[in-house]
Amino acid sequence: MSTFYFIAFLSIFFSILVITAKNPVHSILYLILTFFTFTIHYVLLNAQFLAIVNFIVYMGAILVLFLYTLMLINLNKESEPRKSNVVKIAGFVGGGCFLLTIIAAVKAFNISQPVVLNDPNLGLVKNLGKILFNEYLLPFEVSSVLLLSAMVGAVLLATKDPKTT
Amino acid sequence: MGVVDILIKFGLVLIIFLISLVIAMYSTYAERKIAAFFQDRIGPNRAGPWGLLQPLADGGKMFLKEEIIPTHANAFLFIAGPSLAIMTACIGSAVIPWGQQMTIGTRVIDLQVADINVGLLYIFGVVSLGVYGVMIGGWASNNKYSLLGAIRAASQNISYEISMGLSIIALLMVTGTLSLRQIAEQQHSWHWNILYQPLGFLLFIVCAFAETNRTPFDLPECETELVGGYHTEYSSMKLGFYLFAEYINMFISSAVMATLYWGGYNYPGMDWVLAHTGPAIGPLIGVVVLFAKIFLFIFFFMWVRWTIPRFRYDQLMDLGWKILIPLAIANIIITGVWMTFIK
């Protein structure tokens, strides 16, 4: 339990650093650390497959792209125009409303009765695969075909010769 | 788990770490000797007999050179870059099965640090993490050439990861497990995966070249265009760490290829040898065989480097997106058809 609290503390600590860091590249690096703590959370929950997929997809691919884009556009404190006060107030109000909604949603949950998993090894690859390919076969297959077709479509758009169109 | 078991595990980790470092050191020597052979030169021959002490001399030089951190560089990230590069290079070896279980007396010793049930994905994760060292170092240098090298490294890594992942999916369909120990055991007595997945192996080795930034895919450090690429601003041991990380990556990816596709520690006549040498010595012969395979792959990496010129950047992207990914998807479909109707 103490491990959980320590990792949870790190998650919150790094996510606060993400929004307070002045340099956008630093903020992405803190975001990477935040996602790494999420991976540890998954391992603590005995969901090894989810942990490693979070590691590969979020830390290894999506955040590399984030970092890539930020390095390309090369944001600086000096060149960045100051936001006007109206935008700041609007952001404050919007964020406050969002926080309120989240707190209300969390309070609506009945936390005093925690959900106990029937099978604590549910997160292992074997058990997860059995559930995905038995109970949720159709949604799983449909979503995988959708993702694959999105990727193939992107490649197809890139291969198209601009002279013929 | 007793104290002795923990000590044995710790010793195994230490041995693997030392072996990785020694192999990386002597890979630099081998690279120079092989390059010399290909170019009809002699190569390093001054330090020690046949120049065998050359890596030590190089290492000493790296440590003693002046440490330079550019004025406008971000000092923390500038140091974090090479540290991250060498760390991600070293942690990949944790899941590779180096041999069968050894039995000394009544104690059974696993020649593998951790047999986790997502071992293959772990390797994949470590590979995808490896690019951060290059990106952070290149960005923190505050140099245009370094930044360009870092950006190239990122886009190259992402592009080739996709086809690497797809070629692994086809392999998974054949093996049905993610544990590297089980994959190695399945390949006993000539059921080597290369026989079932020749196209998959071809895709995997091309992607391995791209992920380790070896020629013909060494665009992040392309010296004809980018001075030194991401490590332009680096000197002394920080530069040494980047170069070392590349050689360790090469060693680890050779080990992964040997384990996944070329039978791992299995070799013909294994059972006969094992029966005659006993359970304490027998597995060690398997380890030697695995290392022989690894050295062949390392030689192949060097052979390609000194034979094939570097790609142009658009050619690199074309190869990754327009050739390798369609081939990898075709490979998955062929594997599926073969598993359904023939096997």
Side-chain angles (χ1 to χ4, degrees):
Chain A
M1 209 55 185
S2 56
T3 326
F4 167 76
Y5 280 117
F6 178 62
I7 301 297
F9 166 74
L10 282 184
S11 308
I12 295 170
F13 180 69
F14 285 131
S15 31
I16 289 173
L17 283 179
V18 171
I19 49 175
T20 52
K22 285 273 190 285
N23 190 324
V25 172
H26 289 182
S27 155
I28 290 292
L29 294 177
Y30 287 126
L31 193 59
I32 294 167
L33 287 175
T34 313
F35 276 114
F36 185 63
T37 56
F38 291 170
T39 304
I40 303 174
H41 278 305
Y42 284 129
V43 172
L44 287 180
L45 291 169
N46 208 11
Q48 298 180 0
F49 184 70
L50 218 53
I52 204 81
V53 166
N54 182 59
F55 192 78
I56 295 172
V57 174
Y58 281 91
M59 283 181 71
I62 294 181
L63 287 177
V64 172
L65 280 182
F66 271 41
L67 206 55
Y68 173 80
T69 324
L70 274 180
M71 283 179 178
L72 266 185
I73 55 180
N74 203 14
L75 290 173
N76 281 322
K77 263 181 290 181
E78 296 83 35
S79 62
E80 194 66 0
R82 300 279 298 168
K83 299 273 189 300
S84 67
N85 278 338
V86 180
V87 177
K88 276 184 187 165
I89 292 168
F92 181 75
V93 171
C97 291
F98 185 63
L99 182 71
L100 210 66
T101 319
I102 298 255
I103 289 175
V106 169
K107 273 198 83 113
F109 268 125
N110 201 350
I111 309 176
S112 60
Q113 291 168 335
V115 182
V116 177
L117 278 180
N118 297 326
D119 182 7
N121 289 332
L122 186 69
L124 302 188
V125 187
K126 206 173 210 167
N127 304 326
L128 197 69
K130 270 182 185 150
I131 288 179
L132 278 181
F133 282 97
N134 285 323
E135 287 176 44
Y136 301 103
L137 181 62
L138 189 67
F140 180 69
E141 299 260 295
V142 168
S143 54
S144 61
V145 169
L146 189 68
L147 286 174
L148 183 68
S149 55
M151 191 179 82
V152 172
V155 176
L156 212 63
L157 281 180
T159 27
K160 207 188 268 174
D161 195 4
K163 275 167 247 156
T164 55
T165 50
Chain B
M1 212 181 197
V3 179
V4 184
D5 287 319
I6 293 174
L7 280 180
I8 288 174
K9 265 302 183 233
F10 190 71
L12 190 67
V13 171
L14 207 64
I15 290 171
I16 291 173
F17 183 65
L18 287 179
I19 288 178
S20 308
L21 290 185
V22 169
I23 286 183
M25 258 170 78
Y26 273 89
S27 293
T28 62
Y29 172 75
E31 176 115 79
R32 294 169 74 175
K33 275 289 185 196
I34 288 169
F37 170 70
F38 276 93
Q39 296 169 349
D40 205 12
R41 294 185 282 117
I42 297 172
N45 67 343
R46 294 288 133 176
W50 306 291
L52 270 175
L53 297 177
Q54 188 67 42
L56 293 177
D58 284 344
K61 182 195 78 176
M62 285 285 188
F63 273 112
L64 294 175
K65 275 179 92 168
E66 188 189 351
E67 191 104 350
I68 298 171
I69 295 180
T71 329
H72 288 288
N74 185 322
F76 177 73
L77 290 180
F78 191 73
I79 296 169
S83 320
L84 205 62
I86 196 120
M87 193 193 82
T88 48
C90 287
I91 57 177
S93 57
V95 293
I96 293 169
W98 300 101
Q100 284 171 307
Q101 283 178 334
M102 257 164 79
T103 314
I104 300 175
T106 54
R107 192 170 289 284
V108 178
I109 301 172
D110 266 328
L111 290 181
Q112 183 185 20
V113 177
D115 182 20
I116 53 176
N117 60 15
V118 286
L120 194 48
L121 291 179
Y122 171 83
I123 294 265
F124 197 60
V126 170
V127 165
S128 60
L129 208 59
V131 74
Y132 280 122
V134 173
M135 284 185 82
I136 290 172
W139 179 80
S141 306
N142 196 22
N143 173 319
K144 284 172 189 159
Y145 295 113
S146 303
L147 185 67
L148 276 175
I151 286 173
R152 280 184 176 188
S155 53
Q156 176 179 324
N157 189 285
I158 292 275
S159 311
Y160 282 81
E161 229 165 61
I162 298 174
S163 18
M164 191 181 226
L166 289 173
S167 68
I168 285 180
I169 287 178
L171 178 75
L172 281 185
M173 288 162 71
V174 176
T175 59
T177 174
L178 284 166
S179 152
L180 287 179
R181 154 83 52 195
Q182 282 173 25
I183 291 176
E185 273 167 9
Q186 279 172 0
Q187 300 182 59
H188 190 61
S189 65
W190 283 114
H191 290 296
W192 291 8
N193 284 329
I194 178 72
L195 303 173
Y196 306 110
Q197 283 290 321
L199 182 58
F201 172 69
L202 189 69
L203 294 168
F204 192 91
I205 195 168
V206 172
C207 295
F209 270 85
E211 300 281 332
T212 49
N213 291 337
R214 291 287 296 183
T215 322
F217 299 99
D218 64 343
L219 283 138
E221 48 177 291
C222 172
E223 66 273 4
T224 46
E225 298 165 16
L226 296 182
V227 191
Y230 61 91
H231 56 54
T232 306
E233 296 285 354
Y234 280 90
S235 63
S236 79
M237 205 53 209
K238 295 202 286 302
L239 173 68
F241 273 175
Y242 270 131
L243 304 182
F244 238 61
E246 181 182 319
Y247 284 101
I248 297 177
N249 276 330
M250 208 162 83
F251 166 61
I252 299 298
S253 53
S254 301
V256 170
M257 281 189 285
T259 309
L260 291 183
Y261 289 98
W262 290 87
Y265 47 75
N266 295 293
Y267 54 95
M270 191 181 186
D271 292 328
W272 184 86
V273 173
L274 209 59
H276 281 72
T277 49
I281 309 294
L284 288 179
I285 300 172
V287 177
V288 172
V289 170
L290 177 60
F291 271 93
K293 289 173 184 174
I294 291 172
F295 290 145
L296 276 179
F297 274 116
I298 292 180
F299 173 71
F300 185 71
F301 269 102
M302 290 171 183
W303 186 8
V304 169
R305 171 164 179 182
W306 297 103
T307 310
I308 298 177
R310 182 182 293 133
F311 282 118
R312 226 171 46 221
Y313 191 69
D314 59 322
Q315 292 171 330
L316 172 98
M317 284 296 148
D318 274 3
L319 178 70
W321 289 94
K322 298 180 188 171
I323 300 174
L324 291 186
I325 290 181
L327 268 180
I329 295 176
N331 187 36
I332 292 176
I333 295 172
I334 294 169
T335 311
V337 170
W338 174 74
M339 301 236 341
T340 321
F341 294 110
I342 301 171
K343 200 179 177 188

